[in-house]
């Protein structure tokens, strides 16, 4: 494990303090009430099962739980600290104060209104990563050393009791302002500082390290790999316990560390050994029951693919996610604060006008690893979860409210069965 250093120390590892303040911006009650009435009217007209009649997902779209948010991973945490349950890793891009800082912004509503910059100026003008309780909507931790990072994805290593987040030091605020805990912005260009990992055993105290993955780009994701006599490691790949997907499936990387330390030991694979299987914003899972690596990826619609060797890929015959009328239902049954989140973020102004902005489904991620530490025998959920962004990705021209919402769906089977049902 990378050595934990004092904040002023120098090295790859950092012991990380967190800001636990859950605060948020005041509700704009005068503007929300009319929009809320429109929301109820609109939702009453939406088919509760959701979906374009030509598209039938294998899960139930519960609806929106938050206004615009960036990459999000749902995960099941086994406890005891914090308590066992479902959580979210959320990448928070821009806050409402940033709209005032950038008067040329095309859409002043297109920001995360629960951004930590509201109460802590250290976060002002930066993206960062936080942990959230899925059921209550409460913020568990804002990871201070992730300030100025983006494109995060989370993975629970149940074998070692650790949550890992892979991310790149690219500030989603698109500026060169100094990151309070580095690395220096002037050394990174667009996202030229490689892949970092954050890890925690309690979701509150974190360690950060730069990996030896030979990649400089946006999205990455990590999964645990369990090879077996029935499904051995394919001959084109080295032995590995972990796999990392990157944007567009080039490159892939693997890791075989027995101790589960993902800060080093990565082998970045040449494209002759592993390539493809991912579009934008990839998420990866490995199912030991069939020996396939599964990916979901895409920025307009989300595709599902699988491979036994990371070279030859099979695509599902159906689209995994696409824009749907159900995207704007209110997901109170999953996150209790969904309605208030949509009010505070002003997304209630956008919902009645969904057709003007809901053009893209992107940044999808999945839960839970029912074949491992999140099995029902160990207290894990008997259902599966899918999270994505429903929005226009800045190209719809919509400015009457936020240009998107965060959506959650639930499958009535475990994740392995959900993925396999598409093939």
């Amino acid at each position: 494990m990378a050595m934990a250093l004092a904040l002023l120390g120098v090295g790859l590892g950092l012991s990380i303090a967190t800001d636990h303040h859950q605060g948020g911006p005041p509700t704009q009650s005068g503007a929300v009430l009319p929009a809320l009435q429109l929301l109820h009217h609109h939702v009453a007209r939406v088919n509760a099962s959701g979906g374009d009649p030509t598209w039938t997902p294998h899960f139930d779209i519960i609806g929106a739980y938050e206004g615009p948010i960036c990459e999000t991973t749902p995960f099941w945490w086994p406890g005891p600290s914090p308590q066992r349950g479902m959580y979210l890793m959320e990448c928070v891009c821009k806050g409402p104060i940033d709209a005032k800082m950038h008067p040329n912004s095309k859409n002043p509503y297109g920001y995360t209104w629960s951004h930590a910059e509201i109460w802590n100026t250290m976060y002002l003008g930066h993206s960062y990563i936080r942990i959230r309780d899925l059921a209550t909507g409460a913020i568990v931790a804002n990871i201070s050393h992730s300030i100025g990072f983006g494109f995060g994805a989370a993975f629970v290593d149940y074998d070692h009791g650790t949550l890992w987040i892979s991310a790149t030091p690219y500030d989603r605020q698109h500026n060169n302002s100094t990151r309070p805990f580095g690395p220096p912005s002037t050394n990174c260009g667009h996202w030229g500082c490689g892949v970092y990992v954050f890890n925690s055993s309690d979701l509150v105290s974190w360690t950060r390290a730069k990996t030896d993955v030979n990649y400089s780009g946006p999205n990455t994701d990590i999964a645990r790999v369990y090879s077996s006599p029935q499904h051995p490691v394919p001959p084109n790949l080295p032995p590995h316990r972990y796999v990392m997907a990157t944007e567009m499936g080039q490159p892939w990387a693997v890791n075989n560390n027995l101790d589960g330390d993902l800060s080093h030991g990565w082998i970045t694979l040449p494209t002759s050994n592993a390539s493809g299987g991912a579009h934008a914003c990839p998420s990866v899972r490995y199912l030991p029951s069939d020996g396939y690596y599964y990916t979901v990826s895409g920025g307009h619609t989300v595709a599902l693919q699988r491979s036994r060797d990371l070279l030859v890929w099979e695509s599902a015959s159906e689209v995994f996610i696409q824009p749907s009328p159900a995207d704007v239902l209110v997901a109170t049954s999953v996150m209790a604060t969904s309605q208030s989140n949509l009010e505070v973020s002003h997304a209630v102004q956008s919902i009645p006008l969904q057709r003007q902005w809901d053009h893209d489904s992107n940044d999808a991620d999945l839960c839970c690893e029912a074949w491992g530490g999140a099995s029902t025998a160990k207290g894990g959920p008997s259902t599966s979860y899918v999270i994505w962004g429903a929005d226009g990705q800045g190209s719809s021209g919509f400015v009457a409210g936020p240009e998107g919402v965060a959506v959650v769906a639930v499958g009535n089977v475990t994740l392995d069965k959900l993925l396999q049902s598409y093939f």
Side-chain angles (χ1 to χ4, degrees):
M1 186 69 64
M3 182 179 294
L5 303 177
L7 293 184
L8 297 180
V10 179
L12 295 182
L14 287 171
S15 274
I16 296 174
T18 57
D19 173 1
H20 307 291
H21 196 320
Q22 297 180 27
T27 301
Q28 307 293 320
S29 57
V32 165
L33 183 58
L36 185 57
Q37 293 170 344
L38 284 172
L39 169 64
H40 289 313
H41 174 70
H42 181 75
V43 168
R45 294 186 289 110
V46 175
N47 179 353
S49 64
D52 181 330
T54 64
W55 173 65
T56 305
H58 297 195
F59 45 77
D60 295 320
I61 302 174
I62 307 302
Y65 63 89
E66 180 61 275
I69 203 82
C70 285
E71 294 81 9
T72 300
T73 302
F75 64 93
W76 183 78
W77 186 250
S81 179
Q83 67 182 5
R84 173 187 294 177
M86 288 294 303
Y87 293 84
L88 300 176
M89 180 232 70
E90 295 181 318
C91 293
V92 184
C93 286
K94 297 181 180 180
I97 298 177
D98 300 314
K100 298 177 181 179
M101 294 172 59
H102 299 88
N104 295 326
S105 174
K106 295 179 180 179
N107 187 338
Y109 296 103
Y111 300 89
T112 301
W113 288 72
S114 56
H115 196 293
E117 68 179 14
I118 301 289
W119 61 88
N120 189 330
T121 57
M122 183 169 60
Y123 291 82
L124 182 64
H126 295 288
S127 56
Y128 67 99
I129 299 170
R130 71 187 183 191
I131 304 298
R132 191 178 200 177
D133 186 303
L134 178 60
T136 67
I139 307 304
V140 175
N142 296 299
I143 306 174
S144 58
H145 278 60
S146 71
I147 295 174
F149 280 71
F151 300 108
F155 152 69
V156 183
D157 187 347
Y158 297 103
D159 295 333
H160 298 93
T162 304
L163 179 70
W164 290 89
I165 298 172
S166 59
T168 56
Y170 174 57
D171 200 323
R172 301 299 296 274
Q173 290 282 30
H174 304 287
N175 61 43
N176 291 319
S177 59
T178 302
R179 298 180 181 87
F181 304 106
S185 299
T186 54
N187 295 344
C188 290
H190 192 49
W191 41 51
C193 277
V195 179
Y196 282 67
V197 287
F198 303 76
N199 68 285
S200 175
S201 59
D202 61 7
L203 309 187
V204 174
S205 299
W206 294 84
T207 297
R208 187 185 83 187
K210 184 178 180 180
T211 72
D212 51 3
V213 177
N214 184 19
Y215 173 70
S216 292
N219 296 277
T220 62
D221 193 32
I222 299 171
R224 181 72 164 91
V225 177
Y226 297 92
S227 58
S228 66
Q230 293 76 26
H231 301 293
V233 177
N236 60 303
L237 300 177
H240 58 282
R241 292 174 173 82
Y242 306 91
V243 63
M244 179 185 288
T246 67
E247 192 90 347
M248 309 307 292
Q250 292 185 356
W252 286 84
V254 294
N255 191 303
N256 202 37
N257 286 350
L258 279 168
D259 62 0
D261 184 356
L262 302 182
S263 65
H264 67 94
W266 287 97
I267 301 172
T268 305
L269 301 170
T271 56
S272 58
N273 290 73
S275 181
H279 306 296
C281 319
S283 296
V284 61
R285 300 293 185 274
Y286 177 85
L287 300 191
S289 61
D290 60 19
Y292 278 101
Y293 304 82
Y294 288 77
T295 66
V296 293
S297 62
H300 176 57
T301 60
V302 176
L304 173 63
Q305 301 178 75
R306 70 178 185 177
S307 172
R308 281 205 169 106
D309 60 7
L310 301 182
L311 270 178
V312 179
W313 292 90
E314 175 186 6
S315 297
S317 58
E318 304 169 68
V319 172
F320 191 63
I321 304 171
Q322 67 180 33
S324 162
D327 291 346
V328 294
L329 296 172
V330 183
T332 307
S333 62
V334 173
M335 181 179 286
T337 57
S338 294
Q339 183 163 299
S340 61
N341 295 342
L342 296 170
E343 293 173 11
V344 170
S345 68
H346 300 277
V348 289
Q349 298 171 203
S350 307
I351 285 175
L353 305 172
Q354 179 193 10
R355 289 183 179 273
Q356 297 183 28
W357 54 264
D358 191 2
H359 304 160
D360 298 300
S361 304
N362 49 75
D363 295 309
D365 216 334
L366 313 162
C367 188
C368 306
E369 289 75 7
W371 51 90
S375 67
T376 55
K378 296 182 179 180
S382 59
T383 55
S384 47
Y385 292 82
V386 186
I387 298 270
W388 68 93
D391 51 56
Q393 299 198 88
S395 63
S396 71
F398 184 78
V399 296
E403 194 199 22
V405 293
V407 181
V408 60
V410 177
N412 63 5
V413 295
T414 54
L415 182 58
D416 52 341
K417 292 181 173 60
L418 174 66
L419 295 175
Q420 290 169 336
S421 71
Y422 282 85
F423 294 91

